[in-house]
Amino acid sequence: MCTFGEIVEPNSRTIWEDWDENNPENNATLIQWQLSVNIPERIGTLFILEGKFLADCVKVQPKDHLKLINTSTASNLHLYQIISRNEYVCTIKDYNLLQSSEIIDLIKPFIRNCDDVLTIQTKSLTEYQTASLETKPWVIRKLTTSTQSKNLKDLNFSKLEQPNILSGVAAGAISLREHMNMSATALVYYIEHIEEYQTDEIHILLKKFNIVKDCSAKFNGILNSNLYI
């Protein structure tokens, strides 16, 4: 008899895998907005910023520039509106990668209703794989959808090479826009010390799109400590 398509439960407990355990720590937290959300019919550009110092830099902006619209505490997600124009900034940090799809579902109306999407993601430089012998304290790489952006053409960065990959919320947003035949651009910022705001390149990029006015956020990392001096 063919058993294709049948549900067969193991006859021994030893056959069960670790992920079959009902571990309370693995139970997903409900991802939702704290407040009711009014979805604009049309948005200029949606900026999605992933990483601690990106989120912290946006957090300290003056209220007459960025207005906090909503938050999702379960995923460390904050949604801001740029006061001077119809554009939005979404920041996220220290979230569970397994919940990326749920987070994308949460912000999907904003992704769908915008003209362009620009994601900026920070990663450790040790994760960047390249055959080049050139060494830098930072590397910025770009990935775009098949439909090219009309507003983000001047992002003259090299293409993200294989086997490097895009992950998390940034990957979900770019994939969704590709599926909808809409434009999106992802920037991956590899930095040597990810806990430090050590270079000006990312700050220049944020100011270029008027996401921030200035960044006075301070980061208490090992490099700023005199513990070992």
Side-chain angles (χ1 to χ4, degrees), residues 122-186:
T122 58
K123 289 188 176 184
S124 172
L125 188 59
T126 58
E127 296 183 40
Y128 177 60
Q129 301 185 53
T130 179
S132 174
L133 297 178
E134 184 180 3
T135 57
K136 289 183 179 181
W138 57 269
V139 172
I140 300 180
R141 290 292 182 264
K142 178 177 69 173
L143 193 64
T144 63
T145 54
S146 301
T147 302
Q148 297 296 309
S149 171
K150 297 179 180 180
N151 301 322
L152 306 173
K153 286 184 177 180
D154 55 345
L155 292 175
N156 298 318
F157 299 109
S158 300
K159 183 179 179 180
L160 184 66
E161 320 95 312
Q162 295 181 347
N164 298 293
I165 62 173
L166 198 65
S167 60
V169 172
I174 296 296
S175 298
L176 180 58
R177 294 283 289 189
E178 175 73 15
H179 178 72
M180 296 187 297
N181 295 318
M182 302 177 76
S183 62
T185 303

Side-chain angles (χ1 to χ4, degrees), residues 48-218:
I48 301 177
L49 311 181
E50 286 193 49
K52 185 178 186 300
F53 65 69
L54 287 174
D56 290 348
C57 190
V58 169
K59 185 178 180 180
V60 299
Q61 295 309 301
K63 294 183 179 180
D64 60 349
H65 176 60
L66 285 177
K67 178 182 178 182
L68 180 62
I69 301 298
N70 219 324
T71 61
S72 174
T73 55
S75 56
N76 287 322
L77 177 71
H78 292 76
L79 181 67
Y80 301 84
Q81 181 182 7
I82 301 178
I83 300 298
S84 61
R85 58 194 195 275
N86 188 30
E87 296 184 338
Y88 287 77
V89 180
C90 179
T91 66
I92 187 167
K93 64 177 182 179
D94 302 329
Y95 66 97
N96 186 350
L97 282 176
L98 298 178
Q99 295 179 322
S100 297
S101 296
E102 296 177 62
I103 297 171
I104 289 297
D105 283 339
L106 186 69
I107 62 176
K108 183 177 181 179
F110 293 91
I111 297 175
R112 184 181 56 238
N113 292 1
C114 65
D115 296 329
D116 269 313
V117 170
L118 173 64
T119 73
I120 306 176
Q121 183 182 58
T122 58
K123 289 188 176 184
S124 172
L125 188 59
T126 58
E127 296 183 40
Y128 177 60
Q129 301 185 53
T130 179
S132 174
L133 297 178
E134 184 180 3
T135 57
K136 289 183 179 181
W138 57 269
V139 172
I140 300 180
R141 290 292 182 264
K142 178 177 69 173
L143 193 64
T144 63
T145 54
S146 301
T147 302
Q148 297 296 309
S149 171
K150 297 179 180 180
N151 301 322
L152 306 173
K153 286 184 177 180
D154 55 345
L155 292 175
N156 298 318
F157 299 109
S158 300
K159 183 179 179 180
L160 184 66
E161 320 95 312
Q162 295 181 347
N164 298 293
I165 62 173
L166 198 65
S167 60
V169 172
I174 296 296
S175 298
L176 180 58
R177 294 283 289 189
E178 175 73 15
H179 178 72
M180 296 187 297
N181 295 318
M182 302 177 76
S183 62
T185 303
L187 297 181
V188 186
Y189 181 65
Y190 296 95
I191 186 171
E192 186 174 3
H193 300 286
I194 200 167
E195 75 277 7
E196 300 294 330
Y197 198 81
Q198 69 178 77
T199 65
D200 293 330
E201 283 72 21
I202 195 70
H203 188 202
I204 292 172
L205 190 63
L206 295 177
K207 291 187 70 175
K208 177 179 181 180
F209 293 103
N210 197 28
I211 298 174
V212 303
K213 293 292 186 182
D214 193 13
C215 187
S216 58
K218 302 297 182 182

